[in-house]
């Protein structure tokens, strides 16, 4: 099974088991996504740009980075599910649009 | 003295006293602003829309709301200072642009 | 009159003249704030960190920066008004909390 | 092949073909992610909460929603690649942490 479908189904079960579906309207889920992006930003904000990648791999930062990236993905997957959007198909379509907007070589 | 100038000067002193100016490049300050907006979003995310205003006035939420609004303002003031932007003048100019873009009555 | 009160009153009038108060619940205003912070982030995202401040002062970028900083402030002022928060007082109180959390010299 | 690995590889090729890797340090990619989350927020900001899901399925909004969800995913996938984080594994691990933090039934 596809990764994104698997995560969608797991999030759907997780939500149902806690009766949290009542809170998962799109605007609330976008605010939750913003909260997680904010936590990701906080991990990196004061790292010097030139060394941020290397520094973010040292513990305990590395675990925070992994957890925050995961949280962003999980809320994004949940939001797409609530909106009946197939994230994988949407991403492939958008990449095709981006490629035609930004050709890799002069036409 | 104007509120915004006062806050700018206080943030400037606060930063200098801690030798934090070295961290305050624009991209880092925007990430810090994003972090604070994320914390604000987290306070409201699961409040039912129709009652979010009233519920956010109950403690301990009310203090969180006040603190997060303040943090967003403080980083915004600091960012504008680093970029030499006069926030008050910029806001008045932008309101004039907005008014001409969205006239209050049909022209 | 204080800057922030003046901006609050102007935004209040601007909103009333367009009958937009019906849209200005806290969660919607936070999403609007997120939208403006996103536009600010887009101005800076691909500027090299070491030169981002200088590059952001060249036109047309300088005008975009000024406008986006203004938009963030205007939605923040509007949100605080809807929540009956005095932004100036909240910012001063938060700076006092921050100063006690991060003393400028070892105690 | 897994969805997320496929998207990672496509983004990696897309970036290399345009020589954009030089811009893709973590802090810049987080700002780009913030920009896309901001565009998603703008699509929903003024939709009434109770009807936002239904209204977001009408064109042209539906295509905007799909495109913005895709853009958020694509930058997240790119950021995780730059940081050598396996998004799928990170998401499964985080779900396990969340489940133990928020048990579905009283312990």
């Amino acid at each position: 099974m596809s990764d994104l479908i698997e995560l969608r189904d797991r999030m759907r079960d997780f939500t149902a088991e806690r009766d949290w579906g009542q809170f998962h309207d799109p605007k609330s889920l976008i605010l939750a996504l913003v909260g997680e992006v904010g936590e990701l930003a906080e991990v990196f904000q004061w790292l010097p740009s030139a060394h941020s990648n290397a520094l973010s791999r040292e513990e305990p930062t590395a675990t925070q980075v992994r957890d925050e990236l995961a949280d962003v993905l999980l809320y994004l997957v949940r939001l797409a599910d609530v909106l009946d959007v197939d994230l994988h198909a949407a991403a492939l379509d958008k990449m095709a649009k981006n490629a035609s907007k930004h050709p890799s070589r002069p036409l």
Side-chain angles (χ1 to χ4, degrees), chain A:
Chain A
M1 192 198 302
S2 112
D3 290 353
L4 288 165
I5 299 291
E6 179 198 3
L7 293 174
R8 181 199 70 185
D9 289 351
R10 281 173 179 265
M11 282 298 282
R12 206 184 272 183
D13 291 347
F14 185 90
T15 302
E17 284 161 15
R18 285 155 187 80
D19 198 21
W20 285 354
Q22 58 185 314
F23 302 113
H24 286 189
D25 63 286
K27 293 173 83 162
S28 298
L29 285 168
I30 296 172
L31 290 175
L33 184 68
V34 168
E36 300 302 341
V37 170
E39 292 184 33
L40 183 63
E42 287 177 350
V43 176
F44 282 91
Q45 61 195 8
W46 307 133
L47 301 182
S49 272
H51 306 288
S52 68
N53 198 324
L55 290 169
S56 75
R57 291 163 192 249
E58 295 175 9
E59 293 298 351
T61 311
T63 298
Q64 290 170 12
V65 168
R66 211 166 168 270
D67 281 357
E68 297 311 336
L69 289 171
D71 279 332
V72 175
L73 179 61
L74 292 171
Y75 275 122
L76 182 67
V77 162
R78 181 69 191 139
L79 176 61
D81 188 21
V82 163
L83 295 169
D84 276 333
V85 168
D86 177 333
L87 263 186
H88 181 240
L92 293 178
D93 289 351
K94 192 55 169 55
M95 285 205 75
K97 283 191 198 184
N98 291 347
S100 101
K101 192 173 161 194
H102 302 286
S104 59
R105 291 192 188 76
L107 292 173

PDB file of all heavy atoms in Angstrom, chain A residues 1 6 17 20 23 32 42 45 47 61 66 68-69 72 75 77 81 83 87 92 96 101:
ATOM      1  N   MET A   1       0.855  -1.209   0.000  1.00  0.00           N
ATOM      2  CA  MET A   1       0.000   0.000   0.000  1.00  0.00           C
ATOM      3  C   MET A   1       0.879   1.243   0.000  1.00  0.00           C
ATOM      4  O   MET A   1       2.007   1.219   0.487  1.00  0.00           O
ATOM      5  CB  MET A   1      -0.856   0.012   1.281  1.00  0.00           C
ATOM      6  CG  MET A   1      -1.981   1.063   1.221  1.00  0.00           C
ATOM      7  SD  MET A   1      -2.631   1.435   2.859  1.00  0.00           S
ATOM      8  CE  MET A   1      -3.157  -0.201   3.378  1.00  0.00           C
ATOM      9  N   GLU A   6      -1.488   4.821   3.634  1.00  0.00           N
ATOM     10  CA  GLU A   6      -1.321   4.173   4.946  1.00  0.00           C
ATOM     11  C   GLU A   6      -1.405   5.216   6.076  1.00  0.00           C
ATOM     12  O   GLU A   6      -2.108   5.020   7.072  1.00  0.00           O
ATOM     13  CB  GLU A   6       0.042   3.470   5.003  1.00  0.00           C
ATOM     14  CG  GLU A   6       0.305   2.795   6.359  1.00  0.00           C
ATOM     15  CD  GLU A   6       1.791   2.490   6.577  1.00  0.00           C
ATOM     16  OE1 GLU A   6       2.621   2.859   5.705  1.00  0.00           O
ATOM     17  OE2 GLU A   6       2.106   1.908   7.636  1.00  0.00           O
ATOM     18  N   GLU A  17     -10.904   6.855  17.038  1.00  0.00           N
ATOM     19  CA  GLU A  17     -10.802   6.219  18.358  1.00  0.00           C
ATOM     20  C   GLU A  17     -10.904   7.238  19.503  1.00  0.00           C
ATOM     21  O   GLU A  17     -11.226   6.885  20.627  1.00  0.00           O
ATOM     22  CB  GLU A  17      -9.453   5.485  18.488  1.00  0.00           C
ATOM     23  CG  GLU A  17      -9.406   4.171  17.725  1.00  0.00           C
ATOM     24  CD  GLU A  17      -7.964   3.706  17.482  1.00  0.00           C
ATOM     25  OE1 GLU A  17      -7.041   4.239  18.141  1.00  0.00           O
ATOM     26  OE2 GLU A  17      -7.783   2.821  16.629  1.00  0.00           O
ATOM     27  N   TRP A  20     -12.255  12.653  17.814  1.00  0.00           N
ATOM     28  CA  TRP A  20     -11.742  13.988  17.546  1.00  0.00           C
ATOM     29  C   TRP A  20     -12.198  14.542  16.186  1.00  0.00           C
ATOM     30  O   TRP A  20     -11.837  15.667  15.823  1.00  0.00           O
ATOM     31  CB  TRP A  20     -10.191  13.987  17.583  1.00  0.00           C
ATOM     32  CG  TRP A  20      -9.619  13.923  18.963  1.00  0.00           C
ATOM     33  CD1 TRP A  20     -10.296  13.981  20.151  1.00  0.00           C
ATOM     34  CD2 TRP A  20      -8.227  13.792  19.314  1.00  0.00           C
ATOM     35  NE1 TRP A  20      -9.417  13.888  21.209  1.00  0.00           N
ATOM     36  CE2 TRP A  20      -8.142  13.773  20.729  1.00  0.00           C
ATOM     37  CE3 TRP A  20      -7.038  13.685  18.581  1.00  0.00           C
ATOM     38  CZ2 TRP A  20      -6.928  13.642  21.414  1.00  0.00           C
ATOM     39  CZ3 TRP A  20      -5.835  13.559  19.267  1.00  0.00           C
ATOM     40  CH2 TRP A  20      -5.779  13.541  20.660  1.00  0.00           C
ATOM     41  N   PHE A  23     -13.559  18.056  15.793  1.00  0.00           N
ATOM     42  CA  PHE A  23     -12.687  19.240  15.818  1.00  0.00           C
ATOM     43  C   PHE A  23     -11.988  19.484  14.478  1.00  0.00           C
ATOM     44  O   PHE A  23     -11.355  20.521  14.291  1.00  0.00           O
ATOM     45  CB  PHE A  23     -11.598  19.064  16.896  1.00  0.00           C
ATOM     46  CG  PHE A  23     -12.144  18.847  18.274  1.00  0.00           C
ATOM     47  CD1 PHE A  23     -11.991  17.634  18.935  1.00  0.00           C
ATOM     48  CD2 PHE A  23     -12.839  19.872  18.926  1.00  0.00           C
ATOM     49  CE1 PHE A  23     -12.507  17.434  20.208  1.00  0.00           C
ATOM     50  CE2 PHE A  23     -13.350  19.688  20.203  1.00  0.00           C
ATOM     51  CZ  PHE A  23     -13.192  18.467  20.844  1.00  0.00           C
ATOM     52  N   ALA A  32      -3.762  24.047  13.128  1.00  0.00           N
ATOM     53  CA  ALA A  32      -2.904  23.022  13.743  1.00  0.00           C
ATOM     54  C   ALA A  32      -1.626  22.834  12.909  1.00  0.00           C
ATOM     55  O   ALA A  32      -0.520  22.688  13.454  1.00  0.00           O
ATOM     56  CB  ALA A  32      -3.669  21.710  13.875  1.00  0.00           C
ATOM     57  N   GLU A  42      10.915  27.158  15.074  1.00  0.00           N
ATOM     58  CA  GLU A  42      11.602  27.462  16.338  1.00  0.00           C
ATOM     59  C   GLU A  42      12.876  26.632  16.521  1.00  0.00           C
ATOM     60  O   GLU A  42      13.837  27.091  17.136  1.00  0.00           O
ATOM     61  CB  GLU A  42      10.650  27.254  17.525  1.00  0.00           C
ATOM     62  CG  GLU A  42       9.609  28.372  17.598  1.00  0.00           C
ATOM     63  CD  GLU A  42       8.583  28.188  18.713  1.00  0.00           C
ATOM     64  OE1 GLU A  42       8.550  27.099  19.330  1.00  0.00           O
ATOM     65  OE2 GLU A  42       7.799  29.124  18.952  1.00  0.00           O
ATOM     66  N   GLN A  45      15.419  28.587  14.156  1.00  0.00           N
ATOM     67  CA  GLN A  45      15.508  30.044  14.067  1.00  0.00           C
ATOM     68  C   GLN A  45      16.868  30.636  14.420  1.00  0.00           C
ATOM     69  O   GLN A  45      17.354  31.525  13.723  1.00  0.00           O
ATOM     70  CB  GLN A  45      14.390  30.700  14.880  1.00  0.00           C
ATOM     71  CG  GLN A  45      14.429  30.387  16.362  1.00  0.00           C
ATOM     72  CD  GLN A  45      13.118  30.742  17.059  1.00  0.00           C
ATOM     73  OE1 GLN A  45      12.124  31.085  16.451  1.00  0.00           O
ATOM     74  NE2 GLN A  45      13.113  30.652  18.376  1.00  0.00           N
ATOM     75  N   LEU A  47      19.827  28.957  14.652  1.00  0.00           N
ATOM     76  CA  LEU A  47      21.004  28.265  14.115  1.00  0.00           C
ATOM     77  C   LEU A  47      21.615  29.104  12.999  1.00  0.00           C
ATOM     78  O   LEU A  47      20.897  29.598  12.132  1.00  0.00           O
ATOM     79  CB  LEU A  47      20.619  26.888  13.556  1.00  0.00           C
ATOM     80  CG  LEU A  47      19.971  25.889  14.524  1.00  0.00           C
ATOM     81  CD1 LEU A  47      19.712  24.561  13.807  1.00  0.00           C
ATOM     82  CD2 LEU A  47      20.838  25.651  15.740  1.00  0.00           C
ATOM     83  N   THR A  61      18.550  18.044  19.130  1.00  0.00           N
ATOM     84  CA  THR A  61      17.872  18.728  18.025  1.00  0.00           C
ATOM     85  C   THR A  61      17.371  17.756  16.950  1.00  0.00           C
ATOM     86  O   THR A  61      16.259  17.915  16.421  1.00  0.00           O
ATOM     87  CB  THR A  61      18.823  19.772  17.398  1.00  0.00           C
ATOM     88  OG1 THR A  61      19.395  20.560  18.452  1.00  0.00           O
ATOM     89  CG2 THR A  61      18.093  20.682  16.438  1.00  0.00           C
ATOM     90  N   ARG A  66      13.001  15.646  13.476  1.00  0.00           N
ATOM     91  CA  ARG A  66      12.265  14.487  12.953  1.00  0.00           C
ATOM     92  C   ARG A  66      10.800  14.530  13.421  1.00  0.00           C
ATOM     93  O   ARG A  66       9.881  14.312  12.634  1.00  0.00           O
ATOM     94  CB  ARG A  66      12.958  13.235  13.496  1.00  0.00           C
ATOM     95  CG  ARG A  66      12.886  12.042  12.601  1.00  0.00           C
ATOM     96  CD  ARG A  66      13.893  10.982  13.060  1.00  0.00           C
ATOM     97  NE  ARG A  66      13.605   9.736  12.360  1.00  0.00           N
ATOM     98  CZ  ARG A  66      12.776   8.800  12.808  1.00  0.00           C
ATOM     99  NH1 ARG A  66      12.149   8.951  13.958  1.00  0.00           N
ATOM    100  NH2 ARG A  66      12.555   7.709  12.093  1.00  0.00           N
ATOM    101  N   GLU A  68       9.031  17.180  14.402  1.00  0.00           N
ATOM    102  CA  GLU A  68       8.273  18.313  13.855  1.00  0.00           C
ATOM    103  C   GLU A  68       7.953  18.105  12.370  1.00  0.00           C
ATOM    104  O   GLU A  68       6.855  18.442  11.913  1.00  0.00           O
ATOM    105  CB  GLU A  68       9.022  19.635  14.071  1.00  0.00           C
ATOM    106  CG  GLU A  68       9.240  20.012  15.539  1.00  0.00           C
ATOM    107  CD  GLU A  68       7.993  19.918  16.401  1.00  0.00           C
ATOM    108  OE1 GLU A  68       6.881  20.008  15.869  1.00  0.00           O
ATOM    109  OE2 GLU A  68       8.133  19.727  17.627  1.00  0.00           O
ATOM    110  N   LEU A  69       8.915  17.544  11.626  1.00  0.00           N
ATOM    111  CA  LEU A  69       8.621  17.218  10.221  1.00  0.00           C
ATOM    112  C   LEU A  69       7.455  16.224  10.160  1.00  0.00           C
ATOM    113  O   LEU A  69       6.548  16.355   9.329  1.00  0.00           O
ATOM    114  CB  LEU A  69       9.857  16.604   9.538  1.00  0.00           C
ATOM    115  CG  LEU A  69      11.018  17.561   9.265  1.00  0.00           C
ATOM    116  CD1 LEU A  69      12.245  16.766   8.796  1.00  0.00           C
ATOM    117  CD2 LEU A  69      10.646  18.598   8.203  1.00  0.00           C
ATOM    118  N   VAL A  72       4.058  17.958  10.914  1.00  0.00           N
ATOM    119  CA  VAL A  72       3.572  18.724   9.754  1.00  0.00           C
ATOM    120  C   VAL A  72       2.942  17.763   8.740  1.00  0.00           C
ATOM    121  O   VAL A  72       1.830  17.993   8.252  1.00  0.00           O
ATOM    122  CB  VAL A  72       4.714  19.541   9.099  1.00  0.00           C
ATOM    123  CG1 VAL A  72       4.216  20.227   7.830  1.00  0.00           C
ATOM    124  CG2 VAL A  72       5.271  20.575  10.085  1.00  0.00           C
ATOM    125  N   TYR A  75      -0.566  16.313  10.020  1.00  0.00           N
ATOM    126  CA  TYR A  75      -1.713  17.228   9.893  1.00  0.00           C
ATOM    127  C   TYR A  75      -2.041  17.511   8.425  1.00  0.00           C
ATOM    128  O   TYR A  75      -3.204  17.719   8.075  1.00  0.00           O
ATOM    129  CB  TYR A  75      -1.468  18.535  10.650  1.00  0.00           C
ATOM    130  CG  TYR A  75      -1.827  18.431  12.112  1.00  0.00           C
ATOM    131  CD1 TYR A  75      -0.888  18.677  13.096  1.00  0.00           C
ATOM    132  CD2 TYR A  75      -3.120  18.076  12.502  1.00  0.00           C
ATOM    133  CE1 TYR A  75      -1.216  18.573  14.442  1.00  0.00           C
ATOM    134  CE2 TYR A  75      -3.449  17.970  13.846  1.00  0.00           C
ATOM    135  CZ  TYR A  75      -2.499  18.221  14.805  1.00  0.00           C
ATOM    136  OH  TYR A  75      -2.842  18.116  16.129  1.00  0.00           O
ATOM    137  N   VAL A  77      -1.699  15.366   5.956  1.00  0.00           N
ATOM    138  CA  VAL A  77      -2.398  14.159   5.497  1.00  0.00           C
ATOM    139  C   VAL A  77      -3.836  14.171   6.001  1.00  0.00           C
ATOM    140  O   VAL A  77      -4.778  13.844   5.260  1.00  0.00           O
ATOM    141  CB  VAL A  77      -1.635  12.904   5.988  1.00  0.00           C
ATOM    142  CG1 VAL A  77      -2.501  11.657   5.928  1.00  0.00           C
ATOM    143  CG2 VAL A  77      -0.350  12.719   5.170  1.00  0.00           C
ATOM    144  N   ASP A  81      -7.295  14.478   3.778  1.00  0.00           N
ATOM    145  CA  ASP A  81      -8.339  13.458   3.893  1.00  0.00           C
ATOM    146  C   ASP A  81      -9.705  14.116   4.104  1.00  0.00           C
ATOM    147  O   ASP A  81     -10.695  13.765   3.450  1.00  0.00           O
ATOM    148  CB  ASP A  81      -8.007  12.507   5.042  1.00  0.00           C
ATOM    149  CG  ASP A  81      -8.956  11.310   5.097  1.00  0.00           C
ATOM    150  OD1 ASP A  81      -9.585  10.994   4.069  1.00  0.00           O
ATOM    151  OD2 ASP A  81      -9.058  10.685   6.178  1.00  0.00           O
ATOM    152  N   LEU A  83     -10.630  16.909   3.198  1.00  0.00           N
ATOM    153  CA  LEU A  83     -11.018  17.628   1.975  1.00  0.00           C
ATOM    154  C   LEU A  83     -11.152  16.693   0.767  1.00  0.00           C
ATOM    155  O   LEU A  83     -11.404  17.164  -0.355  1.00  0.00           O
ATOM    156  CB  LEU A  83      -9.994  18.721   1.677  1.00  0.00           C
ATOM    157  CG  LEU A  83      -9.913  19.845   2.722  1.00  0.00           C
ATOM    158  CD1 LEU A  83      -8.684  20.716   2.475  1.00  0.00           C
ATOM    159  CD2 LEU A  83     -11.183  20.694   2.703  1.00  0.00           C
ATOM    160  N   LEU A  87      -3.428  13.352  -2.051  1.00  0.00           N
ATOM    161  CA  LEU A  87      -2.185  14.143  -1.955  1.00  0.00           C
ATOM    162  C   LEU A  87      -1.147  13.714  -2.994  1.00  0.00           C
ATOM    163  O   LEU A  87      -0.452  14.566  -3.562  1.00  0.00           O
ATOM    164  CB  LEU A  87      -1.552  13.966  -0.571  1.00  0.00           C
ATOM    165  CG  LEU A  87      -1.816  15.024   0.490  1.00  0.00           C
ATOM    166  CD1 LEU A  87      -0.962  14.715   1.715  1.00  0.00           C
ATOM    167  CD2 LEU A  87      -1.496  16.432  -0.010  1.00  0.00           C
ATOM    168  N   LEU A  92       1.879  15.129  -7.891  1.00  0.00           N
ATOM    169  CA  LEU A  92       2.396  14.846  -9.241  1.00  0.00           C
ATOM    170  C   LEU A  92       1.870  15.883 -10.240  1.00  0.00           C
ATOM    171  O   LEU A  92       2.623  16.386 -11.089  1.00  0.00           O
ATOM    172  CB  LEU A  92       1.997  13.433  -9.691  1.00  0.00           C
ATOM    173  CG  LEU A  92       2.647  12.287  -8.910  1.00  0.00           C
ATOM    174  CD1 LEU A  92       2.140  10.943  -9.428  1.00  0.00           C
ATOM    175  CD2 LEU A  92       4.182  12.339  -9.021  1.00  0.00           C
ATOM    176  N   ALA A  96       4.083  18.766 -12.413  1.00  0.00           N
ATOM    177  CA  ALA A  96       3.994  18.957 -13.876  1.00  0.00           C
ATOM    178  C   ALA A  96       3.735  20.431 -14.193  1.00  0.00           C
ATOM    179  O   ALA A  96       4.357  20.995 -15.111  1.00  0.00           O
ATOM    180  CB  ALA A  96       2.891  18.064 -14.454  1.00  0.00           C
ATOM    181  N   LYS A 101       6.066  25.741 -15.880  1.00  0.00           N
ATOM    182  CA  LYS A 101       6.258  27.158 -15.512  1.00  0.00           C
ATOM    183  C   LYS A 101       7.754  27.514 -15.442  1.00  0.00           C
ATOM    184  O   LYS A 101       8.145  28.639 -15.744  1.00  0.00           O
ATOM    185  CB  LYS A 101       5.603  27.382 -14.137  1.00  0.00           C
ATOM    186  CG  LYS A 101       5.452  28.831 -13.708  1.00  0.00           C
ATOM    187  CD  LYS A 101       4.633  28.889 -12.417  1.00  0.00           C
ATOM    188  CE  LYS A 101       4.821  30.204 -11.666  1.00  0.00           C
ATOM    189  NZ  LYS A 101       4.297  30.101 -10.277  1.00  0.00           N
TER     190      LYS A 101
END
